[in-house]
């Protein structure tokens, strides 16, 4: 199996890992009086 | 008697599954009656894990588990790129749209995607955008519903020998009943249950060729070189495992974009953001939805290619021209009643979760965004009329499912492209650009639809070199550029500062 055929399988794993890191580092606000800061 | 002996496992699993869905609908019946916000967006009080699974299950459908999985029999493992593109847009949707959409729609008291356009851009023209977008939803989703119902009815026919018309009736009206009973509550909770089933079934389906052939090495050996013929009649050779040998990357990209981009533009996906209960839940869903979707697609997208290892030359010659039958063939060849039963329940789950999400969207679009806008009605009439319309629309879908027109799959993909090109710039601009205007939103919608139609009918299939460039690519680009240009040229139409402060700050 060549690299580009294999890539999507590895790529999906990389993508969800990067996404998880980004979400963990981000401040998320869904309401004016609410803030879910993971650092807190 | 022989019929029950042969099918008892599938029948029991299907009956338990259907009873569970109806129970959820019944359970939420009372709660859903308590006002429009409850019925339309479940009072924005749903936990993150439910929303996450609901988003996943509504994104994947029967077509994913049968059509997309089967087509890799023809295109090889390169088709797995579809899964990567799809997961990428899932991440984009949650990262860019999720938190902002939940925040702004709560501030604006928006309950549907069309009314978001109206409330965010705030003008009489914005009211027209609301009505136009509701019409687009009604038109574009009917083909999608027919396609899903048709797929599920065929599964019932092939697995349980249920006549097509009875199968279509059962799938459409069971889904319709629990959606009408519990509104968005039952849609989200049944979607979550269906998401769990679909996740398990994706893994189970992937295991079948490995168990049948006796391990990873045997599967890889059998597909690394095959004597089977491709659709064009040439030997496949090592095409199943060599990138782009059986299908061009541009074609994968075009189809991948048209399906993947639905997640950043289709109302049935975006409405999920409205119902999430708090920031902690949002964070959970942002992390886990791409994981659920990504793992399922890894399992499913290349499955057809692996089935080559289970087929003789004659069987492969038939399946290469009938890729929708590949998964059914695989299950029949494996010949395990329990596995087949679980997979059939999973296929129903995939179909019903997508159907339910669409049924509530069309009900709210017609009653809240067309009827109520053109001829305002008392608030207590909105829910009963939405229920009636959902029932009537399902009847229309049933009639169309009995006489499905040719090329419905293509029409469904085309409808998805229309959504992406016409809705995304107006939504994204509304969420991020204070300078976005109602005229920019309307112009981008019209341009998005027109370029879709013009590219498809005047260019794509007239010039062979353009055939692999899906209409979504030019339509999306033109629509986005139009939004920016027209918004900048119509500065005077921006909503007042007080309104913008309420939406953004």
């Amino acid at each position: 199996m060549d690299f580009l055929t294999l890539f999507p399988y590895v790529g999906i794993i990389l993508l969800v890992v990067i996404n998880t890191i980004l979400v963990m580092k981000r401040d998320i606000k869904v309401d004016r009086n609410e803030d879910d800061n993971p650092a807190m | 008697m022989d019929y029950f002996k042969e099918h008892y496992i599938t029948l029991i699993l299907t009956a338990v599954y259907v009873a569970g869905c109806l129970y959820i609908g019944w359970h939420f019946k009372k709660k859903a009656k308590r006002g429009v916000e409850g019925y339309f967006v479940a009072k924005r009080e749903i936990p993150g894990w439910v929303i996450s699974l609901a988003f996943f299950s509504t994104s994947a459908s029967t077509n994913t588990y049968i059509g997309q999985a089967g087509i890799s029999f023809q295109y090889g493992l390169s088709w797995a790129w579809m899964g990567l593109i799809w997961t990428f847009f899932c991440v984009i949707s949650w990262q860019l749209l999720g938190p902002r959409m939940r925040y702004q729609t709560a501030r604006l008291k928006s309950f549907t995607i069309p009314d978001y356009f109206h409330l965010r851009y705030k003008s009489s023209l914005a009211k027209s955008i609301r009505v136009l977008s509701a019409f687009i939803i009604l038109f574009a989703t009917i083909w999608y519903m027919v396609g899903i119902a048709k797929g599920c009815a065929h599964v019932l026919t092939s697995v349980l020998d249920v006549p097509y018309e009875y199968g279509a009736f059962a799938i459409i009206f069971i889904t319709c009943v629990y959606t009408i009973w519990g509104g968005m509550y039952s849609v989200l909770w049944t979607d979550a249950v269906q998401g769990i089933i679909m996740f398990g079934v994706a893994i189970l389906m992937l295991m079948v060729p490995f168990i049948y052939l006796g391990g990873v090495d045997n599967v890889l050996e059998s597909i690394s070189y095959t004597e089977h013929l491709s659709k064009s009649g040439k030997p496949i050779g090592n095409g199943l495992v060599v990138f782009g040998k059986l299908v061009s990357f541009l074609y994968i990209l075009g189809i991948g974009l048209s399906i993947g981009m639905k997640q950043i533009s289709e109302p049935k996906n975006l409405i999920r953001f409205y119902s999430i209960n708090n920031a902690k839940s949002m964070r959970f869903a942002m992390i886990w939805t791409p994981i659920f979707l990504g793992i399922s697609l890894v399992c499913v997208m290349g499955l057809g290619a692996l089935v080559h290892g289970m087929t003789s030359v004659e069987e492969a010659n038939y399946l290469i021209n009938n890729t929708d039958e590949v998964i059914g063939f695989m299950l029949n060849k494996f010949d395990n009643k329990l596995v087949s039963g679980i997979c059939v329940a999973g296929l129903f789950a995939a179909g019903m979760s997508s159907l339910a999400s669409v049924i509530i969207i069309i009900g709210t679009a017609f009653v809240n965004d067309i009827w109520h806008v053109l001829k305002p009605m008392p608030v207590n009439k909105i829910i009963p009329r939405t229920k009636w319309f959902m029932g009537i629309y399902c009847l229309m879908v049933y009639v169309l499912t009995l006489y499905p027109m040719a090329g419905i799959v293509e029409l469904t993909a085309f409808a998805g492209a229309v959504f992406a090109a016409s809705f995304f710039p107006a939504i994204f601009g509304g969420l991020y650009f204070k300078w976005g205007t109602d005229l920019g939103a309307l112009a981008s919608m019209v341009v998005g639809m027109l370029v879709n139609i013009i590219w498809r009918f005047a260019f794509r299939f007239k010039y062979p070199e353009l055939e692999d460039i899906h209409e979504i690519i030019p339509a999306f680009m033109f629509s986005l550029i139009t939004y920016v240009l027209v918004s900048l040229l119509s500065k005077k139409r921006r909503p007042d500062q007080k309104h913008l402060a309420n939406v953004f700050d």
Side-chain angles (χ1 to χ4, degrees), chain A residues 2 4 19 23 26 32 36, chain B residues 81 95 243 283 286 505:
Chain A
D2 59 8
L4 284 173
N19 177 57
V23 175
R26 197 176 148 179
R32 188 166 274 179
D36 181 48
Chain B
W81 272 87
Q95 285 279 356
F243 180 71
R283 188 182 301 281
M286 287 170 81
D505 302 333

Side-chain angles (χ1 to χ4, degrees), chain A residues 1-31:
Chain A
M1 202 183 300
D2 59 8
F3 173 73
L4 284 173
T5 308
L6 196 64
F7 184 78
Y9 298 98
V10 183
I12 288 178
I13 295 167
L14 275 175
L15 189 62
V16 296
V17 170
I18 293 167
N19 177 57
T20 303
I21 295 167
L22 289 174
V23 175
M24 293 307 291
K25 286 191 166 180
R26 197 176 148 179
D27 281 343
I28 292 167
K29 198 175 174 185
V30 299
D31 230 323

Side-chain angles (χ1 to χ4, degrees), chain B residues 120 275 285:
Chain B
R120 159 63 182 86
S275 302

Side-chain angles (χ1 to χ4, degrees), chain B residues 459-473:
Chain B
F459 293 101
R460 189 176 166 198
F461 295 114
K462 275 197 175 171
Y463 305 98
E465 62 273 23
L466 297 179
E467 206 166 297
D468 283 353
I469 302 176
H470 198 276
E471 50 272 13
I472 193 161
I473 299 171

Side-chain angles (χ1 to χ4, degrees), chain B residues 364-395:
Chain B
T364 57
F366 181 77
V367 177
N368 189 55
D369 300 314
I370 297 176
W371 192 352
H372 188 47
V373 170
L374 299 177
K375 198 178 174 202
M377 63 185 84
V379 177
N380 64 350
K381 297 266 185 200
I382 292 179
I383 296 177
R385 285 179 183 176
T386 304
K387 289 180 177 180
W388 272 106
F389 184 73
M390 290 194 287
I392 293 165
Y393 200 83
C394 285
L395 201 62

Side-chain angles (χ1 to χ4, degrees), chain B residues 275-309:
Chain B
S275 302
I276 211 155
N277 60 356
N278 57 40
K280 201 174 172 189
S281 290
M282 181 64 79
R283 188 182 301 281
F284 179 93
M286 287 170 81
I287 292 172
W288 282 94
T289 314
I291 295 176
F292 292 137
L293 188 70
I295 291 176
S296 303
L297 294 180
V298 160
C299 296
V300 162
M301 284 299 175
L303 188 56
L306 307 185
V307 176
H308 273 279

Side-chain angles (χ1 to χ4, degrees), chain B residues 421-469:
Chain B
S422 9
F423 281 18
F424 181 76
I427 290 170
F428 183 78
L431 293 176
Y432 282 89
F433 306 141
K434 283 185 178 176
W435 46 264
T437 66
D438 53 357
L439 200 60
L442 182 64
S444 70
M445 271 185 191
V446 174
V447 167
M449 276 188 290
L450 287 178
V451 176
N452 254 311
I453 294 164
I454 293 168
W455 186 267
R456 187 178 179 86
F457 296 106
F459 293 101
R460 189 176 166 198
F461 295 114
K462 275 197 175 171
Y463 305 98
E465 62 273 23
L466 297 179
E467 206 166 297
D468 283 353
I469 302 176

